[in-house]
Amino acid sequence: MTAVTEPEEVRALLASTLVPSASCPGPGAVGLESEHFLVHVDRHGAPVGRADLATMTAVLDDHPDLDPEPPSARSLTGWRTADGGRLLPEPGAQLEFAGPPAWTAAAALGAMSDTVGDIATLLDSRGLALVSAGLDVWHPAGSVRQQLACPRYPAMHDYFGRRGPHGRTMMTHTASLQVNLDLGVGSQPVDRWATALLASPLMTATFACSPTAGAVNGRALAWQWLDQTRTGVPAAFVAGRTDPVDVLCAQALAADVLLFRDGDDAVPGEPGFTLERWILDGHPVHGRPTTTDVAYHLTTLFPEVRLRGFLEIRSVDALPGRWRAVPVVLLAGLLYDDRTLDAVRGLLEPHRARLPELLQRAAHLGVADGELCAMAVEVWTMAAEGAARLGPAYLDPADIRRAERFLDRFTLRGRTPSDELRERFVDGPTAALDWAREPVGTLTLC
């Protein structure tokens, strides 16, 4: 392995993030990753504790139509579905469904709906609820431990613990809906990446489903407070730089080293020891980084939009099944319809320097913030129109109508799903759980 001795060498590794992972015959491929909480319920449907990893494993290993993947030193236990999707545990025993990339948004949403519904049915038969919200509002953060033995996760837990309490919350008590979209060709990769970053406060505000004290988006707050060297919108982008490789190179060099890899083991880094310092000065124990070390460091950066040969959009809270198609519809309409893409980038570009402020306001107030509400209404209205232009073969018209109902029910009224979830708690935790619980039906996973 080659040692990296100059910061400029990081650019070469980052350049590959702008190489599209595949070409799509239509508007663009869609990959979806949804995270969920597994909650024990009593015979009245009341929550009585989070399920642990052993419980999850026992239930899913027992399913005849899931193919278990054995764990290794570098990977997680997982289960494969017949259509190529994966079910994976997260550090607090949240369950992630990572669907296979699909050529249409309709196909990606259909695969997710089928699998999530089937798993919810399976869990229901074992006295467990599959719950979709951005934050586990039913259990205190200290009640759930980090449970993954894969070396990366204990090291992450220790590193974030040195920075404050927010890493524990993020790792064990949050859940998201990650929307992965194609880069496109020509000028599209830069335009799509920049526009998605500019719109990240609107995603945070609109799709907030993680109420906490004084805020509608507790998940976003956990990420914002976690480690500002590696989360949020990259500082170089806020400052006006437009080349993604330049922006991400600056972020990578300024980010603290989260962990050092030592064979199959991982050692947590120290806050304040950046990648640039590691490259220039070396480390007294771990020497200088190799190209493999730098490539791994890039996987520990968590901006609102990450480039991985595609756009990994990370600003959306996990949402109950009835609303899960909405951000997919609106983000496809925003980024895959060129007319909408150009218009929205022009609309949001003047706010670039204010993105950190807007992200904080989005997490605290959501679209109850008048300025954010006005921006969200304008942007998502255009995105819904763009989604309709992608055609019924790409997006189910019923999902477009669902997005329009969501905007009318929440965004146009200055409300978020968090407001509704918080209101359900007035009637108790069981009512709130019913609101966020995945519906169950006939088990058909095959």
Side-chain angles (χ1 to χ4, degrees), residues 178-262:
Q178 188 171 289
V179 182
N180 302 320
L181 299 178
D182 271 347
L183 290 172
V185 297
S187 64
Q188 288 175 334
V190 173
D191 286 339
R192 289 176 179 179
W193 167 76
T195 304
L197 278 173
L198 291 166
S200 58
L202 305 184
M203 300 179 220
T204 299
T206 303
F207 306 120
C209 190
S210 51
T212 191
V216 297
N217 200 319
R219 186 187 72 91
L221 285 182
W223 279 104
Q224 290 174 18
W225 293 336
L226 178 71
D227 178 358
Q228 293 184 354
T229 72
R230 62 186 1 95
T231 64
V233 176
F237 182 81
V238 175
R241 291 163 74 174
T242 57
D243 181 348
V245 175
D246 283 344
V247 167
L248 298 176
C249 187
Q251 184 189 38
L253 291 169
D256 293 342
V257 179
L258 189 150
L259 59 83
F260 301 94
R261 298 191 303 163
D262 184 9

Side-chain angles (χ1 to χ4, degrees), residues 65-107:
D65 294 322
L66 293 176
D67 185 16
E69 299 175 338
S72 71
R74 295 188 182 274
S75 66
L76 305 174
T77 301
W79 300 265
R80 287 198 176 271
T81 64
D83 64 358
R86 297 183 75 200
L87 293 161
L88 296 166
E90 291 293 317
Q94 307 97 316
L95 180 63
E96 175 189 300
F97 170 67
W103 295 132
T104 70

Side-chain angles (χ1 to χ4, degrees), residues 104-110 113 325-326 328-330 332 384 387-405:
T104 70
L109 285 165
S113 178
V326 175
V328 181
V329 168
L330 296 178
R389 287 193 288 269
L390 298 177
Y394 187 80
L395 270 168
D396 189 331
D399 285 332
I400 297 176
R401 292 192 295 271
R402 185 172 289 111
E404 292 168 345
R405 290 197 301 272

